[in-house]
Amino acid sequence: MLIQRAQKMTLILTSQMTFHLHRIIQEEMKRIMIKTLNLLTFLVLVLMTHLKLALKLRRKKNKILQAKTGSAKPVKVNFNKFEFSNSYIWFEFYNAPLENDTFRSWHIVGRLGGCNSMNMQLSQSTFEKRPNYDAIQGANVTPSTFYNIGDFEIQDNLARVWVDIGTTEPLLLDTLINALTQISSDYVGIKQLVFGGSEFENWKENLTSEYAGYSVHKI
């Protein structure tokens, strides 16, 4: 009788232990599966992020490595009795004329007094140590402003724009020449740039027809 009870208790204990062991194994497997899923999710996110960055870099690379459409030849710059208050700036392009956004931007910067050679504190200081800007000095310099600019006129591969810069500010001209030099190299080839003069190359004052290659663009 005692042996039977002992055997019965052994079976009950064995069954309970097996149940608990099975439950522990199931819970451990669940934890392992959850960790595995989390790891897989993380790896998928990393892979997607990597692919997005690769596509983004490829697009930027295509833009950066885009072939230049300008001219490797430097722009020839001449001055012909240029007056800051009343003069034409003449252009000769190799092919298509330049868009007038360049001159609009130049005029805005000049109009706001951005090109004032009397206040070039940072350009004249070294950056070996922290630069110091004197606001009082900057506020008391003689103001420089771009008074007026005319329309951008085009005749075939020639163009001109009338300007009234007002004050004698060569920095404005340097700024324009630098911008046009880069634009000529990268985008639209400019053969020559002439400041001043009432006549230029084959420009015809009486040619005002679009059918003959004339166009005018507001700045």
Side-chain angles (χ1 to χ4, degrees):
M1 191 73 177
L2 290 173
I3 294 173
Q4 290 179 348
R5 286 183 178 179
Q7 289 177 344
K8 190 174 181 179
M9 288 295 295
T10 302
L11 289 173
I12 293 172
L13 289 173
T14 303
S15 177
Q16 289 178 347
M17 289 178 63
T18 303
F19 174 77
H20 287 299
L21 182 62
H22 182 68
R23 188 172 180 180
I24 291 171
I25 292 173
Q26 283 184 330
E27 290 179 353
E28 189 64 27
M29 289 182 66
K30 284 182 180 179
R31 282 195 290 269
I32 293 173
M33 288 180 65
I34 291 172
K35 288 182 179 180
T36 303
L37 287 173
N38 289 337
L39 179 60
L40 288 173
T41 303
F42 174 74
L43 291 174
V44 169
L45 289 174
V46 170
L47 180 60
M48 290 177 66
T49 303
H50 178 74
L51 289 173
K52 287 180 179 179
L53 287 173
L55 290 172
K56 192 174 182 180
L57 288 173
R58 182 176 294 179
R59 294 192 194 101
K60 286 188 175 181
K61 182 180 178 182
N62 291 336
K63 290 182 179 179
I64 294 172
L65 299 180
Q66 186 176 6
K68 293 185 177 182
T69 57
S71 172
K73 297 180 181 179
V75 181
K76 185 179 179 182
V77 180
N78 289 315
F79 287 83
N80 182 17
K81 299 178 181 178
F82 179 76
E83 297 179 5
F84 280 86
S85 60
N86 181 20
S87 284
Y88 279 108
I89 301 176
W90 303 87
F91 309 85
E92 182 181 5
F93 298 90
Y94 286 104
N95 295 301
L98 183 70
E99 294 183 4
N100 61 330
D101 287 344
T102 303
F103 305 103
R104 184 179 296 114
S105 302
W106 177 54
H107 178 235
I108 291 172
V109 172
R111 187 79 174 178
L112 294 173
C115 296
N116 192 339
S117 57
M118 299 298 293
N119 186 34
M120 300 180 65
Q121 298 181 47
L122 299 181
S123 298
Q124 296 170 353
S125 63
T126 61
F127 275 74
E128 295 177 357
K129 58 181 181 179
R130 181 181 296 179
N132 183 32
Y133 186 86
D134 190 335
I136 296 176
Q137 177 185 337
N140 290 330
V141 296
T142 303
S144 173
T145 185
F146 196 141
Y147 286 179
N148 201 2
I149 190 168
D151 298 331
F152 187 64
E153 300 176 85
I154 297 173
Q155 285 186 11
D156 294 327
N157 68 322
L158 303 179
R160 72 177 183 181
V161 60
W162 174 85
V163 295
D164 177 7
I165 296 176
T167 54
T168 303
E169 183 50 84
L171 182 58
L172 264 169
L173 305 185
D174 279 329
T175 303
L176 178 63
I177 293 171
N178 288 337
L180 292 177
T181 299
Q182 191 66 40
I183 289 172
S184 176
S185 173
D186 292 347
Y187 303 107
V188 181
I190 303 174
K191 187 175 182 179
Q192 62 174 321
L193 175 64
V194 178
F195 292 86
S198 57
E199 297 179 352
F200 179 72
E201 297 292 330
N202 297 321
W203 185 273
K204 300 177 179 63
E205 289 292 342
N206 58 350
L207 194 156
T208 57
S209 171
E210 292 185 6
Y211 296 101
Y214 175 83
S215 61
V216 59
H217 306 270
K218 293 289 183 182
I219 295 178

